């Protein structure tokens, strides 16, 4: 069978074959050899040399596209190539025969134009050999295909010229958008016939690299699958094509097709003997155990934990029989991941870490952070692994390590350090050279760092900057990409917080559904927060109790403390501080045990508020001095405002028993703190809390006899109170 002048085969028995596009490239090489150095400038020749390798390795492209690429490098040569191809296509068959006969002269002479062992020389020799093996009927079909290729190019040129005349401005914008970038695009691949072995390998490696590093530049899922199906049609045993099909199906969350492609990949790998050649007799077993391991990872990604566990058991059994410790270490890591989905994973992880150290594999610090290890010990552990990563230029592991440090500093409540680590990761250039000039900045670690940046900016009231970061995330990680759920959850959480700050509880409630779909635990917690804000205390309490039991079972300490704080706040809003105290003490004990400094500071803040309600403001003030420094240093703007507001309340309550001069001084200091709190609340547009502050300020100014200031605060309070009516909570008792 023959299409576009190419003889098809079921396997890649022929390394390369002649196509009309390759004849055009041969014409370009011939013209470059014939053109003297004086006729082409040094910069033009350099651009042509840079263009050659992608043209030789890439798939066939349209003649119009080829002309444009050559013209951007050297306009004079583009004109010569166009004339030569036109003469050949509009002439006779003997013109093409004569052209191939003349190609051999490139290697003749004492100083040949092309060396036989060079990249260009090997390409020329392959083409001459492939052409000489064609029968007369195949040569005739090749010439017919060349004529059709030329006519299609001419037709496209005329259409482009007409379009440029009718819409010149739009045409200019399109030309500006097209760069000298010969990465495989949809229109280029679709114009070509079946790919040769080298072209197929180049196509697969480039697309796999793009899927890993910059998915937005890869072919769309449907187009890529169409090309892969075309490849597999002529070579069903091409294992690498099955694996790329597996990666492509993962993009669209197609569990059936991805499983099918993965199994076919390992079947073909064993059948072709590729593994056995590189690993001896042991290659067969190696393929089997890694097939089971990959299948377990696939099922785990789609949430099929029972099937994943069965596949892991199979991988462990084969790895133990083969004494493959590295495979067993990977199995242990996945067992830990599966254990996280249940409840008990600590023992597995400890064993996994010991084995990782023994065999020189990177150890995990996530569990150590959750277990309450100090920051200096965790950073020392990461430092030891970082030394190996930097020594061997393992850029992906370096990125993961820095992203992990960012998350650890945020877990411990050190936002400044987290911000520094995130920016360090974003400013790093990739150490790994990637095809087609792709920078390795579309990995999971990059997405995690950007999400942290967005949340940190939102916490400080910089919502415009957070929106810009999220916009960048959406461009780099489209909704169907692997790591898109990270920014989706981040975006939903920021929108939820803004709605809560603005008192738009109905809007916040509508966002809970989206958060729950992405992270069930976080969604339930946010639902309880909304119910509490709407004064549905009974429903909120029931939900928080269920969530508390679930988080304790899953050993999610950070969420356990957050739930305990919400329960305590619920009791405080219900004027039951004595019931809230044991809950707060439990949260404080957990925060101290796991060294979660920021959560500990928040707990102390609530304890001080409880003591204020109980009528002991002096003790509340002493507690506040313990907690306020970390909050002002690393806290969110809202928490800074809450701390300053509470400090002002405690100062006012303590001044009640003071003599008049000291009382006046204390009240003025409280007003200053209230102004600072109001500025903090204004940054996050928290009108409800600003209303509480100006209400309190008006009362203090009235006590001090400052009528003008009191009236100004009273007017502001009235405006805000009409916009945000109270929900039945005493203003003085709300933290």
């Amino acid at each position: 069978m023959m299409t576009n002048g190419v003889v098809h085969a079921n396997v890649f028995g022929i390394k390369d074959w002649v196509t009309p596009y390759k004849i055009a490239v041969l014409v370009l090489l011939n013209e470059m050899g014939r053109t003297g150095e004086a006729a082409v400038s040094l910069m033009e020749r350099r651009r042509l040399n840079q263009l050659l390798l992608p043209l030789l390795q890439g798939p066939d492209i349209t003649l119009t596209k080829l002309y444009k690429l050559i013209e951007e490098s050297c306009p004079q040569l583009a004109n010569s190539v166009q004339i030569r191809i036109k003469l050949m296509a509009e002439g006779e068959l003997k013109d093409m025969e004569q052209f191939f006969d003349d190609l051999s002269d490139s290697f003749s002479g004492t100083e040949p134009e092309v060396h036989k062992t060079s990249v260009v020389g090997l390409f020329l020799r392959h083409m001459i050999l492939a052409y000489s093996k064609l029968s007369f009927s195949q040569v005739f079909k090749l010439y017919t295909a060349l004529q059709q290729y030329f006519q299609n190019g001419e037709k496209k040129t005329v259409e482009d010229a007409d379009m440029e005349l009718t819409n010149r401005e739009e045409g200019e914008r399109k030309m500006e958008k097209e760069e000298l970038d010969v990465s495989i695009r949809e229109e280029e691949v679709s114009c070509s016939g079946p790919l040769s072995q080298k072209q197929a390998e180049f196509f697969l490696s480039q697309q796999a690299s793009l899927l890993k590093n910059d998915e937005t530049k890869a072919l769309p899922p449907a187009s890529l699958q169409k090309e892969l199906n075309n490849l597999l049609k002529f070579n069903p045993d091409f294992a690498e094509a099955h694996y790329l099909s597996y990666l492509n199906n993962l993009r669209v969350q197609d569990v059936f097709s991805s499983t099918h492609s993965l199994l076919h990949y390992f079947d073909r790998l064993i059948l072709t003997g590729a593994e056995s050649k590189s690993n001896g007799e042991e290659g067969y077993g190696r393929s089997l155990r890694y097939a089971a391991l990959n299948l377990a990872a696939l099922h785990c990604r789609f949430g099929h934990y029972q099937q994943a566990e069965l596949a892991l058991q199979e991988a462990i059994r084969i790895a133990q029989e083969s004494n493959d410790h590295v495979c067993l270490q990977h199995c242990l890591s996945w067992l830990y991941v599966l254990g996280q989905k249940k409840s008990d994973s600590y023992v597995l992880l400890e064993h996994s870490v010991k084995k990782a150290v023994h065999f020189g594999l990177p150890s995990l610090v996530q569990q150590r952070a959750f277990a309450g290890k100090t920051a200096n010990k965790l950073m020392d552990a990461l430092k030891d692994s970082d030394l190996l990563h930097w020594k061997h230029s393992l850029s992906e592991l370096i990125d993961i390590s820095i992203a992990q440090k960012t998350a650890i500093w945020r877990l411990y409540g050190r936002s400044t350090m987290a911000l520094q680590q995130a920016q360090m990761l974003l400013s790093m250039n990739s150490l790994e050279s990637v095809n087609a000039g792709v920078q390795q900045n579309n990995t999971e670690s990059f997405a995690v760092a950007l999400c942290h940046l967005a949340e940190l900016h939102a916490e400080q009231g910089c919502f415009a900057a957070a929106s810009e970061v999220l916009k960048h995330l959406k461009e780099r990680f489209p909704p169907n990409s692997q790591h898109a759920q990270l920014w989706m959850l981040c975006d939903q959480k920021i929108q939820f917080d803004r709605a809560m700050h603005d008192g738009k509880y109905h809007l916040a409630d509508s966002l809970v559904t989206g958060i729950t779909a992405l992270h069930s635990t976080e969604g339930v917690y946010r639902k309880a927060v909304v119910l509490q804000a709407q004064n549905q205390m009974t429903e909120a309490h029931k939900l928080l109790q269920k969530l508390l039991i679930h988080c304790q079972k899953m050993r999610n300490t950070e969420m356990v403390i957050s739930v305990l704080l919400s329960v305590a706040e619920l009791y405080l809003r219900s004027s039951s501080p004595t019931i809230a105290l044991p809950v707060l003490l439990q949260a404080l004990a957990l925060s101290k045990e796991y060294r979660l400094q920021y959560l500990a500071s928040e707990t102390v803040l609530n304890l001080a508020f409880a003591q204020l309600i109980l009528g002991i403001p002096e003790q509340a003030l002493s507690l506040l001095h313990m907690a306020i420094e970390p909050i002002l240093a690393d806290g969110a703007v809202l928490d800074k405002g809450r701390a300053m507001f509470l400090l002002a309340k405690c100062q006012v309550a303590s001044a009640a028993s003071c003599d008049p001069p000291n009382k006046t001084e204390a009240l003025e200091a409280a007003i200053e703190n209230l102004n600072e709190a109001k500025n903090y609340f204004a940054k996050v547009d928290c009108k409800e809390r600003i209303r509480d502050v100006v209400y309190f300020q008006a009362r203090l100014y009235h006590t001090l006899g400052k009528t003008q200031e009191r009236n100004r605060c009273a007017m502001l309070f009235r405006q805000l109170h009409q916009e945000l009516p109270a929900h039945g909570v005493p203003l003085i008792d709300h933290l």
Side-chain angles (χ1 to χ4, degrees):
M1 185 172 71
M2 186 167 181
T3 305
N4 291 344
V6 176
V7 182
H8 296 171
N10 287 332
V11 291
F12 289 127
I14 305 172
K15 290 286 182 184
D16 225 333
W17 44 65
V18 187
T19 63
Y21 161 74
K22 287 176 183 174
I23 293 176
V25 175
L26 289 171
V27 170
L28 169 63
L29 293 172
N30 191 252
E31 285 297 318
M32 285 178 67
R34 292 172 58 181
T35 307
E37 292 186 7
V40 180
S41 68
L42 183 62
M43 286 303 298
E44 287 177 337
R45 188 166 291 276
R46 184 176 297 172
R47 286 196 296 267
L48 284 169
N49 290 336
Q50 289 176 341
L51 175 66
L52 276 182
L53 191 59
L55 289 180
L56 298 180
Q57 290 182 331
D60 294 5
I61 59 176
T62 61
L63 189 60
T64 309
K65 176 66 178 175
L66 181 63
Y67 286 156
K68 285 179 182 177
L69 290 172
I70 301 171
E71 191 173 0
E72 288 170 2
S73 302
C74 180
Q76 178 188 349
L77 198 61
N79 189 43
S80 303
V81 170
Q82 192 170 2
I83 292 170
R84 283 285 299 276
I85 294 174
K86 183 177 181 180
L87 290 173
M88 193 186 303
E90 292 181 349
E92 299 178 358
L93 180 59
K94 65 179 183 181
D95 295 327
M96 187 177 74
E97 287 275 4
Q98 185 62 43
F99 172 72
F100 275 95
D101 291 340
D102 294 342
L103 281 179
S104 304
D105 297 339
S106 304
F107 304 110
S108 60
T110 53
E111 293 185 3
E113 297 172 1
V114 180
H115 292 283
K116 289 185 177 182
T117 55
S118 66
V119 175
V120 174
L122 288 171
F123 176 75
L124 286 173
R125 288 163 65 193
H126 285 162
M127 290 297 100
I128 293 169
L129 182 62
Y131 182 79
S132 64
K133 287 183 177 181
L134 295 178
S135 65
F136 178 76
S137 60
Q138 290 172 339
V139 170
F140 181 74
K141 287 180 180 178
L142 175 62
Y143 184 68
T144 306
L146 175 65
Q147 290 177 319
Q148 187 64 42
Y149 183 68
F150 171 74
Q151 289 168 9
N152 291 341
E154 288 291 303
K155 185 179 178 182
K156 186 76 168 63
T157 305
V158 172
E159 288 176 359
D160 288 348
D162 292 342
M163 189 179 296
E164 188 176 354
L165 288 172
T166 55
N167 196 349
R168 190 176 185 85
E169 292 181 4
E170 186 180 347
E172 287 175 359
R173 283 200 300 271
K174 285 183 180 178
M175 287 297 292
E176 287 172 9
K177 192 177 178 182
E178 275 192 33
E179 300 172 356
L180 183 60
D181 149 20
V182 284
S183 62
I184 300 166
R185 296 179 185 172
E186 188 176 355
E187 67 271 10
E188 294 174 5
V189 176
S190 60
C191 82
S192 66
L195 303 178
S196 67
Q197 182 181 4
K198 288 183 178 180
Q199 287 178 324
E201 289 172 353
F202 179 75
F203 171 76
L204 294 176
S205 65
Q206 189 177 48
Q207 290 298 309
S209 176
L210 289 170
L211 288 181
K212 176 188 174 186
N213 300 296
D214 196 352
E215 196 174 314
T216 56
K217 292 184 179 178
L219 283 177
S223 303
L224 180 55
Q225 195 59 45
K226 181 181 176 182
E227 296 305 321
L228 290 172
N229 291 340
N230 188 43
L231 264 177
L232 293 169
K233 178 181 176 182
F234 300 107
N235 186 12
D237 295 330
F238 198 9
E240 289 78 4
H242 284 290
Y243 192 77
L244 187 59
S245 176
Y246 155 69
L247 295 178
N248 190 45
N249 286 310
L250 279 182
R251 296 164 73 189
V252 292
Q253 307 294 314
D254 187 346
V255 60
F256 175 77
S257 299
S258 54
T259 308
H260 179 80
S261 297
L262 182 65
L263 294 175
H264 272 287
Y265 165 69
F266 281 101
D267 287 345
R268 269 40 181 202
L269 204 63
I270 293 167
L271 287 172
T272 55
E275 284 291 298
S276 300
K277 290 175 185 175
S278 58
N279 295 286
E281 295 178 359
E282 204 265 332
Y284 178 82
R286 186 176 188 275
S287 294
L288 287 178
R289 58 181 175 271
Y290 277 99
L293 181 62
N294 277 274
L295 190 61
L298 175 67
H299 283 307
C300 189
R301 175 168 176 176
F302 285 108
H304 308 153
Y305 303 123
Q306 189 175 359
Q307 292 94 322
E309 195 169 346
L310 291 172
L312 263 182
Q313 289 174 4
E314 180 69 12
I316 290 169
R317 184 185 63 78
I318 304 173
Q320 285 174 336
E321 289 175 359
S322 306
N323 202 26
D324 188 343
H325 295 288
V326 175
C327 184
L328 284 171
Q329 162 63 22
H330 287 302
C331 292
L332 275 172
S333 301
W334 278 106
L335 275 175
Y336 162 66
V337 173
L338 286 174
Q340 278 187 316
K341 307 299 178 185
K342 298 175 183 177
S343 59
D344 191 11
S345 60
Y346 186 72
V347 177
L348 281 172
L349 186 76
E350 285 296 313
H351 188 56
S352 177
V353 170
K354 289 175 184 175
K355 284 284 184 184
V357 173
H358 184 265
F359 293 104
L361 299 172
S363 61
L364 303 174
V365 297
Q366 180 179 337
Q367 185 72 19
R368 292 182 182 179
F370 291 150
K373 299 292 182 184
T374 55
N376 61 329
K377 289 183 179 178
L378 291 177
M379 294 304 157
D380 284 341
L382 281 170
K383 180 190 70 176
D384 294 337
S385 58
D386 281 349
L387 288 174
L388 289 172
H389 301 160
W390 284 103
K391 182 179 179 181
H392 299 289
S393 298
L394 304 173
S395 58
E396 191 169 351
L397 292 178
I398 292 169
D399 293 349
I400 291 171
S401 176
I402 297 175
Q404 207 164 32
K405 288 176 188 174
T406 306
I408 288 170
W409 284 122
R410 281 208 75 194
L411 178 69
Y412 288 157
R414 299 301 183 94
S415 60
T416 308
M417 292 300 297
L419 191 65
Q420 181 194 46
Q421 292 294 325
Q423 289 175 338
M424 183 189 297
L425 175 59
L426 300 182
S427 63
M428 278 180 59
N429 290 322
S430 173
L431 300 176
E432 180 181 351
S433 58
V434 185
N435 291 337
V438 179
Q439 295 298 317
Q440 189 176 346
N441 53 7
N442 281 43
T443 54
E444 184 180 12
S445 52
F446 187 82
V448 168
L450 280 174
C451 287
H452 280 304
L453 269 184
E455 289 180 355
L456 288 167
H457 280 93
E459 285 177 2
Q460 299 305 317
C462 304
F463 295 114
S467 297
E468 286 297 318
V469 175
L470 285 168
K471 181 183 175 184
H472 184 69
L473 270 165
K474 291 172 186 177
E475 291 172 358
R476 290 210 172 272
F477 302 92
N480 62 348
S481 63
Q482 181 180 350
H483 308 304
Q485 289 188 359
L486 293 170
W487 64 256
M488 287 178 181
L489 180 60
C490 175
D491 189 18
Q492 294 280 309
K493 284 161 69 175
I494 291 173
Q495 287 185 48
F496 177 89
D497 290 338
R498 292 195 71 176
M500 290 297 293
H501 295 165
D502 208 15
K504 297 176 180 177
Y505 303 134
H506 63 285
L507 178 58
D509 195 22
S510 66
L511 292 167
V512 168
T513 308
I515 296 173
T516 308
L518 296 165
H519 194 294
S520 57
T521 306
E522 188 73 32
V524 174
Y525 174 69
R526 302 273 173 159
K527 178 65 177 178
V529 169
V530 174
L531 290 173
Q532 186 175 326
Q534 293 173 336
N535 287 330
Q536 300 180 37
M537 299 301 182
T538 308
E539 292 83 352
H541 187 264
K542 288 178 183 177
L543 204 57
L544 287 170
Q545 289 299 327
K546 288 180 183 177
L547 183 59
L548 182 61
I549 293 168
H550 172 73
C551 292
Q552 286 172 339
K553 183 182 176 183
M554 299 299 294
R555 296 187 178 182
N556 188 348
T557 310
E558 188 181 10
M559 184 57 76
V560 166
I561 297 169
S562 298
V563 172
L564 287 172
L565 287 174
S566 293
V567 171
E569 188 179 343
L570 188 146
Y571 290 143
L572 290 172
R573 289 175 67 125
S574 303
S575 301
S576 304
T578 50
I579 305 174
L581 282 174
V583 179
L584 288 170
L585 291 172
Q586 184 185 353
L588 183 61
L590 282 172
S591 303
K592 295 287 186 183
E593 181 185 351
Y594 290 93
R595 293 176 171 81
L596 305 176
Q597 178 185 325
Y598 190 69
L599 286 173
S601 301
E602 274 199 56
T603 309
V604 173
L605 205 66
N606 281 276
L607 276 170
F609 185 52
Q611 289 183 334
L612 175 64
I613 296 174
L614 289 169
I616 40 178
E618 292 80 9
Q619 290 191 23
L621 266 176
S622 63
L623 272 177
L624 260 178
H625 288 305
M626 290 170 48
I628 202 165
E629 185 179 341
I631 290 175
L632 293 178
D634 293 297
V637 168
L638 182 67
D639 292 332
K640 292 177 184 179
R642 289 171 60 208
M644 297 308 296
F645 192 17
L646 181 58
L647 180 61
K649 289 179 182 178
C650 292
Q651 286 173 331
V652 172
S654 301
S657 57
C658 297
D659 10 344
N662 291 332
K663 184 177 180 180
T664 302
E665 186 180 346
L667 293 181
E668 287 177 349
I671 288 172
E672 288 297 320
N673 290 329
L674 287 171
N675 281 327
E676 192 173 347
K678 185 169 65 174
N679 292 334
Y680 284 134
F681 292 144
K683 283 184 180 179
V684 289
D685 199 25
C686 192
K687 296 177 182 177
E688 187 177 347
R689 294 184 185 274
I690 294 173
R691 178 189 63 183
D692 296 350
V693 170
V694 294
Y695 164 80
F696 203 55
Q697 277 185 318
R699 291 183 59 178
L700 292 181
Y701 280 129
H702 180 74
T703 305
L704 292 171
K706 297 183 177 181
T707 310
Q708 188 176 356
E709 290 84 350
R710 179 202 65 188
N711 291 342
R712 188 183 71 248
C713 290
M715 183 183 67
L716 185 56
F717 168 77
R718 183 181 177 184
Q719 290 173 353
L720 291 169
H721 191 61
Q722 287 174 345
E723 186 179 344
L724 295 167
H727 294 284
V729 180
L731 294 171
I732 195 72
D733 291 343
H734 181 59
L735 176 57

